[in-house]
């Protein structure tokens, strides 16, 4: 069964940190990029970060640059998102999605609606940042 499972969300204060994990089963990341998305209540999902297993390239949305760091452990079929200096506006459900590299790689994650092209996506993990 193809599956992505996220973990690591929780409640933190402003300025705190969390590390999210995205574990894949039933497939490997070889031909995919893995993107982290977030969806706040009443809003559309937005791509936060992405990593390509083929060349290690990464993408961050502007608001995540300098605060978030994405990494991958291919041996564990896991992608991580380290989030530092969290702000209340980072509050959202975060989910990961695997998108075929041939569809455009991390460029897809940076565009609107890219998650619709996902080969697989997880259910998400809630991140709440209190002020």
């Amino acid at each position: 069964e193809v599956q992505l499972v996220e973990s690591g969300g929780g409640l933190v204060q402003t300025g705190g940190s969390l590390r999210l994990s995205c574990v894949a089963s039933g497939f490997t990341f070889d031909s995919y990029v893995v993107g982290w998305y977030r969806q706040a209540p009443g809003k559309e999902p937005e791509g936060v970060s992405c990593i390509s297993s083929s060349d290690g390239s990464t993408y961050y949305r502007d608001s995540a640059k300098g605060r978030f760091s994405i990494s991958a452990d291919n041996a564990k079929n896991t992608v991580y998102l380290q989030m530092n200096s969290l702000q209340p506006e980072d509050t959202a459900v975060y989910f990961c999605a695997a998108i075929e590299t041939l569809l455009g790689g991390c460029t897809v994650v940076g565009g609107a609606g890219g998650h619709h092209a996902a080969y697989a996506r997880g259910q998400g993990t809630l991140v709440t940042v209190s002020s």
Side-chain angles (χ1 to χ4, degrees), residues 40-99:
K43 295 188 177 181
E44 288 293 312
E46 59 183 20
V48 176
S49 184
C50 176
I51 188 165
S52 169
S53 63
S54 61
D55 61 11
S57 60
T58 58
Y59 158 82
Y60 298 95
R61 70 181 298 109
D62 286 345
S63 61
K65 290 177 181 177
R67 300 188 301 130
F68 294 5
S69 177
I70 193 169
S71 62
D73 185 336
N74 290 332
K76 295 182 178 180
N77 238 17
T78 301
V79 171
Y80 304 97
L81 184 67
Q82 176 68 42
M83 304 188 297
N84 300 325
S85 301
L86 284 162
Q87 303 296 314
E89 52 266 34
D90 294 316
T91 295
V93 173
Y94 285 70
F95 65 91
C96 57
I99 300 169

